[in-house]
Amino acid sequence: MKTDAANKHIVVIGLGMTGLSVVNHLVAKNDGAMISVIDTRDAAPGADKLPQNVALNAGGWNMDWLLNADLIVASPGIALATPELKAAAEKGIEIVGDIELFARDVAAPVIGITGSNGKSTVTSLLGEMAKAAGVNVGVGGNIGFAALDMLAYDHALYVLELSSFQLETTSSLDMASAVFLNLSEDHMDRYDGMEDYRQAKLRIFDQTQLALWNQDDLQTKAPEDKYSESFGFSQGDYTLTLKEGNEWLTAKGEPVMAVSDIALVGRHNVANCLAAMSLADSVGIARDAQCQAMREYCGLPHRCQQVLEHNGIWWVNDSKATNPASTLAALDGLQLPGKLHLLVGGDGKGAEFSSLQPVLAALDVTLYCYGRDGQAFAGLVETPVVVDTMQQAMDIAVQTAKSGDMVLLSPACASFDQFTNFMVRGETFAAYAQAITAHSALETVSE
């Protein structure tokens, strides 16, 4: 960057929530920088909220701005391999993300959470632990609040969910502790294979005092030269032990709490609790506050969330399952008195879905395949139901499901082929479940 602040030209790539947070942060610093925004969408979201002195180039790239910038702040949704950004990088222009700007200004301790699955749950659970202990905590990053927006609240602790995309453009975040929860196939449309994706995730350990990794997924192992702890079901610093015939969460040999007391559902969430305990210990969050949160926290929307029970049929929204491993986690240990009606499909992001086949073979399941990549699931079972949309699948399910059955949306895909994001997909599922079951009830009455 140029030393004369009045002459600095900072270009923000991508608007929306993150881009606006970057612009507002830079404007608030009031250091005389000239700020411009490039968004390749014709209708850039949040354009009406830009300060008047911030120029916007919408509907395409402005290479003159880009190649004459002193600093580029890129949205995590824009790959560094994009030709336009590569051209800027080759010219020696520094490219960072919003988390790097956050790192340069934050004064309080930071905890980081990454992984292919579970990071939103661990981030939120850890936030609840801090709140139960009376800590003024900011929870955000790749979930909820943009990291830069939280700086205005002068939190005593920040808990950040960090995607691999965000980690690619972050180099100076000094964290108290950080965890790499797990690794499974995802974002293969952006990375050059699994090892490339793994290395992006491992960057989190370059920037932390304590590196926490998963004994049950050795791809997450911290480098030997880092101070580290581990968690796992059968081994690790935070693990499970038997006490009076029951499984207990255990911290460094000390039984802490019975697994049966955890409010979260699913075996994967037991591992998430172990990880959250280690991270909480790293910043001195009291054990009783940790236990209180684990007993009370029921999880986030769109993550194995029961949205309706009608005529003995459960309708469950797991729209956050945007990759096969997330869907596998939802199916792990699932026991039902009746049949599972599983809705899968959407934008597969280049993933391979054969890992679902053995689990599906062990279940009494009807598989509904929809969306752009729905056909890729059809070979996983003998008699799939292939439709165009999620709503069409639900129309069939409501006619065939019986008491004791579950209709589960766990798509193993991103939502972008038919929905704005996974939240809208989940909300649509919940609303349509209410509507079609109400309509079905009216038809029954009229008969």
Side-chain angles (χ1 to χ4, degrees), residues 288-436:
D288 59 349
Q290 296 178 32
C291 292
Q292 178 185 334
M294 289 187 287
R295 289 190 180 99
E296 296 177 356
Y297 179 66
C298 296
L300 294 163
H302 313 296
R303 294 159 179 82
C304 290
Q305 174 194 24
Q306 182 176 315
V307 297
L308 179 67
E309 190 275 321
H310 179 74
N311 289 341
I313 302 165
W314 295 279
W315 295 77
V316 177
N317 167 23
D318 190 36
S319 183
K320 184 61 171 67
T322 58
N323 56 51
S326 276
T327 299
L328 283 170
L331 300 178
D332 184 27
L334 185 64
Q335 295 182 336
L336 293 171
K339 179 184 286 289
L340 174 66
H341 301 259
L342 177 61
L343 281 58
V344 295
D347 176 0
K349 301 178 288 183
E352 215 281 324
F353 304 111
S354 59
S355 59
L356 294 170
Q357 192 164 25
V359 179
L360 294 174
L363 294 169
D364 182 6
V365 61
T366 297
L367 190 67
Y368 301 79
C369 313
Y370 74 88
R372 190 178 76 186
D373 291 328
Q375 193 63 45
F377 294 87
L380 300 180
V381 296
E382 288 187 6
T383 55
V385 179
V386 181
V387 294
D388 291 329
T389 69
M390 179 186 75
Q391 291 92 328
Q392 289 172 343
M394 296 172 71
D395 285 334
I396 298 171
V398 77
Q399 296 298 325
T400 57
K402 300 176 181 178
S403 180
D405 289 1
M406 175 186 291
V407 182
L408 171 63
L409 171 68
S410 190
C413 288
S415 59
F416 304 125
D417 61 328
Q418 296 184 356
F419 300 95
T420 306
N421 51 47
F422 76 84
M423 294 86 78
V424 172
R425 177 172 62 187
E427 290 159 2
T428 302
F429 173 84
Y432 197 62
Q434 295 280 355
I436 60 175

Side-chain angles (χ1 to χ4, degrees), residues 6 18 21 38 154 282 305 343 376:
T18 299
S21 74
I38 297 173
D154 197 26
S282 74
Q305 174 194 24
L343 281 58

Side-chain angles (χ1 to χ4, degrees), residues 233-263:
F233 288 134
S234 60
Q235 58 184 335
D237 300 284
Y238 292 76
T239 187
L240 301 180
T241 56
L242 284 177
K243 181 179 178 180
E244 298 174 354
N246 298 312
E247 279 190 321
W248 277 60
L249 302 173
T250 303
K252 298 180 179 178
E254 173 198 353
V256 172
M257 180 175 139
V259 168
S260 58
D261 289 339
I262 297 171

Side-chain angles (χ1 to χ4, degrees), residues 4-293:
D4 186 353
N7 292 326
K8 287 190 300 186
H9 183 198
I10 303 176
V11 177
V12 179
I13 310 296
L15 209 45
M17 183 182 77
T18 299
L20 278 173
S21 74
V22 170
V23 170
N24 291 334
H25 174 76
L26 294 172
V27 169
K29 289 179 76 69
N30 194 28
D31 60 2
M34 182 176 72
I35 304 162
S36 305
V37 177
I38 297 173
D39 195 300
T40 58
R41 294 166 288 191
D42 290 328
D48 58 327
K49 298 181 177 63
L50 281 176
Q52 289 186 350
N53 61 338
V54 174
L56 171 64
N57 183 98
W61 292 92
N62 186 322
M63 294 307 296
D64 183 56
W65 286 3
L66 203 64
L67 297 179
N68 286 285
D70 297 292
L71 176 69
I72 295 170
V73 186
S75 163
I78 309 295
L80 293 177
T82 301
E84 292 80 4
L85 287 186
K86 286 183 69 176
E90 289 167 0
K91 195 177 175 184
I93 300 169
E94 184 181 17
I95 302 173
V96 301
D98 68 308
I99 302 299
E100 177 61 22
L101 295 184
F102 172 89
R104 295 176 183 184
D105 276 9
V106 68
V110 179
I111 295 175
I113 295 101
T114 198
S116 298
N117 298 295
K119 54 185 178 292
S120 295
T121 296
V122 174
T123 301
S124 300
L125 174 58
L126 184 56
E128 293 303 311
M129 289 177 171
K131 291 174 188 175
V135 176
N136 177 15
V137 61
V139 179
N142 194 48
I143 176 179
F145 291 102
L148 288 169
D149 287 345
M150 295 193 296
L151 288 176
Y153 296 94
D154 197 26
H155 294 293
L157 173 68
Y158 294 91
V159 180
L160 300 183
E161 176 184 323
L162 298 171
S163 71
S164 57
F165 302 164
Q166 290 170 315
L167 289 167
E168 287 174 354
T169 54
T170 305
S171 58
S172 59
L173 183 59
D174 182 15
M175 291 177 282
S177 58
V179 63
F180 185 175
L181 292 168
N182 47 58
L183 185 74
S184 60
E185 188 178 49
D186 202 0
H187 304 300
M188 290 299 100
D189 53 348
R190 178 146 165 176
Y191 290 103
D192 185 19
M194 283 294 292
E195 183 58 24
D196 188 28
Y197 176 42
R198 174 174 174 264
Q199 290 301 322
K201 291 285 192 187
L202 283 170
R203 283 177 62 93
I204 199 168
F205 290 149
D206 296 339
Q207 307 173 52
T208 187
Q209 297 170 42
L210 168 66
L212 177 64
W213 59 280
N214 184 354
Q215 287 275 1
D216 297 319
D217 188 344
L218 296 182
Q219 296 181 98
T220 69
K221 189 172 182 180
E224 296 294 338
D225 61 349
K226 294 292 296 189
Y227 174 65
S228 68
E229 292 180 349
S230 64
F231 67 97
F233 288 134
S234 60
Q235 58 184 335
D237 300 284
Y238 292 76
T239 187
L240 301 180
T241 56
L242 284 177
K243 181 179 178 180
E244 298 174 354
N246 298 312
E247 279 190 321
W248 277 60
L249 302 173
T250 303
K252 298 180 179 178
E254 173 198 353
V256 172
M257 180 175 139
V259 168
S260 58
D261 289 339
I262 297 171
L264 288 165
V265 176
R267 191 68 174 172
H268 57 297
N269 279 320
V270 177
N272 289 337
C273 286
L274 292 169
M277 286 169 55
S278 172
L279 297 172
D281 282 352
S282 74
V283 290
I285 294 174
R287 185 77 74 210
D288 59 349
Q290 296 178 32
C291 292
Q292 178 185 334

